[in-house]
Amino acid sequence: MTVVRDFLDAHIARIEPLSREVNLAYWNATISGHADDFERYAQLEVELQRVYTNAHEFESVKRWLSDASDGLQGRQLEILYRTYLRNQIDPAQIEEMTRLSSKIVQSFGTYRARVDGNQLTGNDVRNALKQSSDAAYRRRVWEADKAVGREVRDELLKLVRLRNQVARSLGFSDYYVMSLELSEQRAQDLAGLFDRLDGATREPFARAKEELDAALAQRYGIATADLRPWHYEDPFFQEMPRVFDVDFDRYYRDQDVVDVARRFFEGIGLEVRDILAHSDLYEKPGKEQHAYCLDIDRRGDVRVLANVQHDETWAGTMLHELGHAVYDRYIDAELPFLLREHAHVFATEAIAMLFGRLSKDAQWIDRMVGVQVPEREHLARESERNSRLSQLIFARWCQVMVRFERALYANPDGDLNDAWWDLVEHYQAVPRPDGRDEPDWAAKIHIVSAPVYYHNYMLGELFASQLDHSLQTRVLRANNGHESFVGNRAVGDFLRERVFAAGKRWHWDKLVQHATGEPLNPQHFVEQYVR
Ligand SMILES: [Zn+2]
């Protein structure tokens, strides 16, 4: 229909330059940390969202969608329908939510843990919890790191209530349910999937954690019953502590991890030189301390923000972020603007994870940075144990985040401090510090900046294992065991053709089917890491 085509053309002409401005403003703000840069970003974001508050246009899109075909035009209308729907709210509310979340993100970015008169960066906290054998010091670092929760709690709860108010005004029971529906997911499907994963991981996790706790207790000279959150190196126990005699960092200490990642991607036929040239990769005062990838314009300007140090964490992070980046870079440039995006956030996470996993893969380390012959067997054994345990630990941690967010939006007035620790004890088997009643949940930035998103990391792991299985059996033709991706351009070709190119032209379930020949399911993840 001409009228639809004319509308889409005009719409894209309006939002394409604006969304580029929004992305650039976010990029600049997270690098400078300046309040006025965040303010500029917030203003532009509000301006972009305001486009979608137009009720008249929303009604037209809804009408056109009801008799649209399955083609590219129909798909664009589907995407627009959801974007308009989520914005059919009072503009003052949109503005307030955007400002509030931007302000809290800024508080996280500029927060520095204070311990014994020193200010610690995120990297300092991570290093202290990795290296210090002084349990009392570890506790002070852990508590100071968590204290950001107390600083942001009130504003975060205000934001949560506001999000719920908005969801109800659009006819959803709460913001959690709305967010899933608007991203083409369903709360009940997700709950079923997480229950199945809980069932498949509970016992293996309990056994593995017993072994882990024994090693940690020995390290600190205490009983396993006295282990507390600060004994597990990661502040949320979302990663595995390095207790099993394998120091991956040493393989990267004398390497330029950015260059290692670049060589790897080029070897599988995926170009990243232009991405790295646009990126901002090293620590700066005021700069956001996490890492992310951003497609600025859907025309090839894809960037990574990072705070690289030459260790395994940052090697893995660079592989992960560049995974997001190559996905964006290789989306079919002929697709209309609205479809030049990854199929779903969990699909881009899957690609990022498929590559992020490699920094701890013995074969990959050997091929990319070299391992002395006598160490090889030991490294292979330990890296396998490590990846199994880390995946188990991560899968259990995801249960906490996903279930907590559901509870948070279902009842923001409940005892959240207690609910958080109930989940941590039940799913991660980490006991709460005695008598602790602090908003430790509010110290997790994702609740602010990426609400109702965390489940996508787990779905990403499932899809990554599914893709890995397809690559092994259909591309690398591995007979038994695991063939390395290194230097194999067929790996890049497969991903480009089967995953990246399609962009958002199909619903995600069709993409998963197209790429792997089966629907999204936990089987390959369980086979790879749990059995
Ligand atoms: Zn990611």
Side-chain angles (χ1 to χ4, degrees):
M1 277 193 295
T2 327
V3 60
V4 179
R5 205 169 50 233
D6 288 349
F7 171 79
L8 287 172
D9 287 348
H11 180 79
I12 291 165
R14 193 168 165 209
I15 62 149
E16 187 173 353
L18 187 52
S19 62
R20 181 173 175 275
E21 287 304 307
V22 170
N23 290 335
L24 283 172
Y26 184 76
W27 174 259
N28 291 330
T30 51
I31 289 171
S32 76
H34 292 154
D36 44 352
D37 287 341
F38 276 96
E39 182 56 32
R40 179 177 151 70
Y41 158 65
Q43 271 170 14
L44 284 163
E45 179 72 44
V46 167
E47 204 182 314
L48 177 61
Q49 292 189 8
R50 198 167 281 150
V51 170
Y52 292 98
T53 58
N54 188 315
H56 174 71
E57 288 177 4
F58 176 54
E59 286 310 317
S60 302
V61 168
K62 203 161 37 168
R63 198 175 58 247
W64 294 326
L65 180 60
S66 64
D67 39 53
S69 62
D70 284 347
L72 295 183
Q73 200 175 77
R75 184 64 182 148
Q76 290 178 86
L77 290 172
E78 262 178 32
I79 287 160
L80 281 181
Y81 169 76
R82 282 192 302 276
T83 316
Y84 274 96
L85 175 58
R86 84 173 73 219
N87 287 292
Q88 295 307 300
I89 48 179
D90 179 1
Q93 283 183 322
I94 299 187
E95 186 163 341
E96 201 183 339
M97 282 197 302
T98 309
R99 280 179 199 284
L100 207 46
S101 79
S102 174
K103 189 170 166 212
I104 304 169
V105 168
Q106 193 192 351
S107 302
F108 268 96
T110 53
Y111 179 80
R112 298 291 182 268
R114 285 176 196 82
V115 182
D116 305 342
N118 298 317
Q119 286 201 1
L120 308 187
T121 65
N123 274 325
D124 293 337
V125 167
R126 203 164 55 79
N127 291 336
L129 291 177
K130 261 188 181 182
Q131 286 153 12
S132 171
S133 55
D134 176 351
Y137 179 68
R138 300 180 70 87
R139 179 178 189 156
R140 290 199 296 283
V141 171
W142 184 86
E143 284 174 346
D145 184 57
K146 284 287 179 290
V148 69
R150 216 180 303 159
E151 277 191 23
V152 302
R153 175 190 172 276
D154 290 349
E155 287 191 311
L156 178 49
L157 276 178
K158 204 167 143 191
L159 179 61
V160 165
R161 292 196 181 97
L162 199 54
R163 284 170 175 170
N164 269 349
Q165 218 177 311
V166 161
R168 287 186 190 121
S169 74
L170 296 180
F172 296 97
S173 55
D174 65 36
Y175 182 81
Y176 180 84
V177 173
M178 178 185 85
S179 301
L180 290 178
E181 293 280 346
L182 290 180
S183 61
E184 303 185 285
Q185 293 171 321
R186 294 197 328 186
Q188 75 205 69
D189 294 348
L190 198 62
L193 194 58
F194 272 78
D195 284 346
R196 285 210 296 287
L197 259 177
D198 176 33
T201 54
R202 173 164 297 278
E203 275 309 308
F205 175 72
R207 280 196 304 275
K209 184 159 177 299
E210 237 169 70
E211 203 185 333
L212 175 66
D213 282 355
L216 285 172
Q218 192 183 22
R219 182 203 271 181
Y220 302 112
I222 58 176
T224 52
D226 294 329
L227 288 168
R228 290 296 176 271
W230 47 87
H231 293 116
Y232 301 86
E233 296 169 5
D234 183 273
F236 290 96
F237 188 36
Q238 65 185 71
E239 285 171 13
M240 195 188 81
R242 295 176 313 164
V243 287
F244 294 126
D245 186 33
V246 53
D247 174 13
F248 288 106
D249 287 344
R250 71 199 184 95
Y251 298 107
Y252 298 99
R253 207 163 287 142
D254 302 322
Q255 299 288 331
D256 177 343
V257 300
V258 175
D259 196 56
V260 173
R262 179 190 60 76
R263 281 192 287 116
F264 166 70
F265 279 101
E266 283 176 3
I268 59 169
L270 300 173
E271 182 57 60
V272 296
R273 213 178 273 272
D274 48 347
I275 295 163
L276 292 171
H278 288 132
S279 293
D280 195 291
L281 299 176
Y282 303 98
E283 283 181 310
K284 285 175 184 170
K287 180 176 162 182
E288 142 104 44
Q289 303 200 64
H290 301 80
Y292 70 83
C293 168
L294 190 60
D295 185 348
I296 299 279
D297 60 3
R298 307 191 195 178
R299 288 178 183 275
D301 184 355
V302 181
R303 308 178 180 188
V304 170
L305 178 145
N307 292 272
V308 170
Q309 298 195 339
H310 298 295
D311 59 19
E312 186 280 322
T313 301
W314 283 105
T317 303
M318 282 311 292
L319 289 166
H320 179 105
E321 298 305 335
L322 287 172
H324 286 302
V326 290
Y327 192 150
D328 291 338
R329 188 186 192 284
Y330 285 105
I331 290 170
D332 184 354
E334 301 298 313
L335 283 170
F337 178 80
L338 293 172
L339 306 184
R340 285 206 304 275
E341 234 195 327
H342 44 250
H344 195 279
V345 285
F346 85 76
T348 185
E349 286 307 334
I351 297 300
M353 286 160 169
L354 183 68
F355 293 122
R357 289 170 176 180
L358 297 173
S359 60
K360 289 178 174 165
D361 180 283
Q363 236 180 339
W364 190 88
I365 295 172
D366 192 19
R367 297 281 300 274
M368 291 307 301
V369 305
V371 176
Q372 303 285 315
V373 176
E375 286 176 43
R376 276 191 191 148
E377 210 179 302
H378 173 76
L379 178 64
R381 202 173 49 242
E382 291 305 319
S383 99
E384 196 190 318
R385 171 156 83 165
N386 186 292
S387 61
R388 291 169 64 90
L389 194 48
S390 0
Q391 289 290 354
L392 267 175
I393 286 169
F394 185 72
R396 301 304 291 179
W397 154 247
C398 276
Q399 296 276 351
V400 172
M401 276 298 283
V402 171
R403 289 165 199 271
F404 180 79
E405 277 197 300
R406 194 169 66 193
L408 172 68
Y409 291 101
N411 182 17
D413 301 314
D415 186 343
L416 298 169
N417 299 356
D418 209 42
W420 174 261
W421 281 106
D422 283 350
L423 289 168
V424 171
E425 289 180 337
H426 184 73
Y427 290 98
Q428 294 184 284
V430 174
R432 73 190 76 196
D434 310 315
R436 188 162 179 90
D437 185 16
E438 293 289 333
D440 294 325
W441 51 274
K444 192 69 193 162
I445 191 171
H446 297 70
I447 294 175
V448 187
S449 60
V452 195
Y453 182 96
Y454 223 85
H455 59 280
N456 289 311
Y457 292 121
M458 195 66 242
L459 303 186
E461 294 288 5
L462 304 187
F463 186 32
S465 287
Q466 230 171 295
L467 283 169
D468 194 42
H469 179 78
S470 295
L471 283 166
Q472 293 298 331
T473 53
R474 289 155 61 187
V475 178
L476 302 166
R477 312 224 177 259
N479 290 323
N480 47 12
H482 218 250
E483 287 294 322
S484 172
F485 298 163
V486 175
N488 196 324
R489 300 179 73 89
V491 170
D493 290 344
F494 177 89
L495 294 173
R496 227 173 20 230
E497 288 158 21
R498 293 266 147 188
V499 183
F500 305 163
K504 220 180 181 64
R505 69 188 307 163
W506 305 313
H507 187 284
W508 60 263
D509 57 2
K510 188 168 171 190
L511 179 91
V512 172
Q513 188 80 39
H514 176 75
T516 67
E518 50 186 317
L520 185 66
N521 70 83
Q523 185 199 334
H524 298 291
F525 177 82
V526 170
E527 270 167 17
Q528 194 174 359
Y529 295 114
V530 182
R531 287 207 182 122

